[in-house]
Amino acid sequence: MENFRQPRDIAQVLLSVLFLALMIVACLWIVRPFILGFAWAGTVVVATWPVLLYLQRLLWGRRSLAVLVMTLLLVLLFVIPIALLVNSIVDGSGPLIHAVTGGEMTLPALDWLNGVPLVGAKIYAGWHNLLDMGGTAIMAKLRPYIGTTTTWFVGQAAHIGRFMMHCALMLLFSALLYWRGEQVALGIRHFACRLAAQRGDAAVLLAAQAIRAVALGVVVTALVQAVLGGIGLAVTGVPYATLLTVVMLLCCLAQLGPLLVLVPAIIWLYWSGDTTPGTVLLVWSCVVGMLDNVIRPMLIRMGADLPLILILSGVIGGLIAFGMIGLFIGPVLLAVSWRLFSAWVQEVPAPDNEPVAIPEALARTKGEEA
């Protein structure tokens, strides 16, 4: 019996693919305003899902009460502080931008160096020699770049309306995901299995681990250190404490630590003669700086360890691409991609440790075939 194979209709295949592509693009275009909010909510829900289950057990097994408590906690501990922080940056950044761009910011004279024993006078003389040789000209050349950078960072926070819209969407989607989390997770795993069978299911689980690692080991640690450091700056009377707190949050998210902001603030307090607040901030900075070594290992064990350069690239790239929300979404996207890529590479054994022998073996194989 002969089996006649039907010829493939190329036009039908092309039109089917084109129709599916148009439908996918149209759907993405429609949900485009909600993508960032949903991604943010997914990160929050995946990271805090064990807390929801714990609250549900405490509240007599009532999922509705647990969802209500978690939503209120997100509002009180996350949305309101960030909104107040962004609003304070917008209100208090005007004098700083004017000082930077208007030429009022100059290099300091550092007269206090004369009081430092042994080396103070030499450092003071060297500093003023640098100023005499063109320190003012150097500052004049750097001022436009400093002003542009400062204005850009403040401009990212100035989109407070869009930011609050994403916060509202994050709360709405978080409540929905808390309410139907098991069904949503099962649907995502089912779709992944349809695409790549068991590998697809494993990819979803690895992505969840990466999200939890970033949210707990990076974001939570950075928020705790930045808030405590900001409290220390405000109590000791350091000017622009709100703006410095945001810079400290960026440094902590980028794994650079809060001391890049706190140490110059301590030096400024001693320089201005406020030795008591400077000593208080010095002791407080030691506590805040050591929190990283206490909180991070405990939280990282709940997720997965990630490379430093990946987190740094995610923070900076996310801020440039998505604004303030990118501080949280950028590292998550790179972490998920890195975990999936790493799992895919490790499916095959590592190459031989002696790369010199590989070309020789290949040459022998070609010679035998010839």
Side-chain angles (χ1 to χ4, degrees):
M1 181 178 179
E2 296 182 0
N3 184 16
F4 294 98
R5 189 175 182 180
Q6 294 291 334
R8 181 173 296 178
D9 191 348
I10 301 299
Q12 181 184 5
V13 174
L14 291 177
L15 289 176
S16 300
V17 173
L18 180 61
F19 176 76
L20 290 176
L22 288 176
M23 290 296 294
I24 294 174
V25 171
C27 292
L28 291 177
W29 185 263
I30 291 172
V31 301
R32 184 171 58 92
F34 310 104
I35 291 178
L36 289 180
F38 186 80
W40 195 5
T43 301
V44 172
V45 171
V46 170
T48 59
W49 186 255
V51 180
L52 173 73
L53 298 180
Y54 178 74
L55 289 176
Q56 183 176 346
R57 290 193 297 268
L58 290 180
L59 298 173
W60 310 284
R62 299 285 298 274
R63 174 60 63 88
S64 57
L65 294 178
V67 172
L68 180 61
V69 172
M70 288 298 299
T71 306
L72 292 177
L73 287 176
L74 289 179
V75 173
L76 294 176
L77 302 178
F78 196 76
V79 176
I80 291 180
I82 291 180
L84 294 176
L85 194 62
V86 173
N87 191 31
S88 300
I89 294 173
V90 175
D91 293 339
S93 59
L96 178 61
I97 295 177
H98 179 73
V100 172
T101 58
E104 299 178 7
M105 181 176 290
T106 57
L107 294 176
L110 303 182
D111 295 331
W112 57 274
L113 286 173
N114 287 319
V116 178
L118 300 178
V119 298
K122 295 182 179 179
I123 298 176
Y124 177 80
W127 175 252
H128 276 269
N129 288 333
L130 178 63
L131 293 181
D132 295 337
M133 289 187 298
T136 306
I138 295 174
M139 192 65 190
K141 292 181 179 180
L142 292 177
R143 190 179 296 116
Y145 300 100
I146 298 175
T148 303
T149 305
T150 306
T151 306
W152 182 84
F153 273 101
V154 174
Q156 296 299 317
H159 300 293
I160 188 169
R162 186 178 63 180
F163 182 76
M164 294 307 298
M165 181 194 71
H166 287 304
C167 286
L169 291 175
M170 184 270 291
L171 287 175
L172 176 61
F173 288 135
S174 296
L176 295 176
L177 291 175
Y178 281 137
W179 182 256
R180 297 295 181 186
E182 292 86 357
Q183 290 85 345
V184 174
L186 182 60
I188 294 175
R189 293 180 63 187
H190 193 182
F191 176 72
C193 290
R194 181 64 181 85
L195 290 179
Q198 188 177 2
R199 289 183 177 180
D201 193 14
V204 172
L205 298 178
L206 287 175
Q209 291 179 2
I211 291 173
R212 188 163 297 170
V214 173
L216 295 178
V218 177
V219 176
V220 172
T221 306
L223 285 174
V224 171
Q225 287 186 297
V227 170
L228 294 178
I231 292 174
L233 294 176
V235 170
T236 54
V238 176
Y240 303 110
T242 303
L243 187 59
L244 291 177
T245 302
V246 176
V247 176
M248 198 183 327
L249 176 62
L250 294 175
C251 294
C252 293
L253 286 173
Q255 309 300 292
L256 301 177
L259 296 181
L260 288 178
V261 177
L262 293 175
V263 170
I266 295 170
I267 295 174
W268 181 85
L269 287 173
Y270 280 109
W271 174 23
S272 60
D274 298 330
T275 56
T276 301
T279 305
V280 172
L281 186 59
L282 176 61
V283 176
W284 185 249
S285 300
C286 295
V287 176
V288 174
M290 289 188 297
L291 282 178
D292 186 37
N293 299 323
V294 177
I295 299 177
R296 187 185 306 280
M298 180 177 61
L299 296 178
I300 280 290
R301 285 195 295 267
M302 302 179 185
D305 202 0
L306 299 169
L308 172 62
I309 187 63
L310 184 141
I311 303 300
L312 177 61
S313 302
V315 169
I316 299 176
L319 179 64
I320 295 174
F322 305 117
M324 293 292 291
I325 299 179
L327 293 175
F328 309 99
I329 297 180
V332 169
L333 291 177
L334 289 186
V336 170
S337 302
W338 169 257
R339 289 288 290 169
L340 297 179
F341 174 76
S342 178
W344 176 71
V345 170
Q346 291 177 1
E347 288 183 356
V348 298
D352 193 356
N353 293 329
E354 297 180 1
V356 179
I358 296 177
E360 297 177 356
L362 184 61
R364 287 196 301 267
T365 303
K366 290 183 177 180
E368 293 174 358
E369 292 178 354

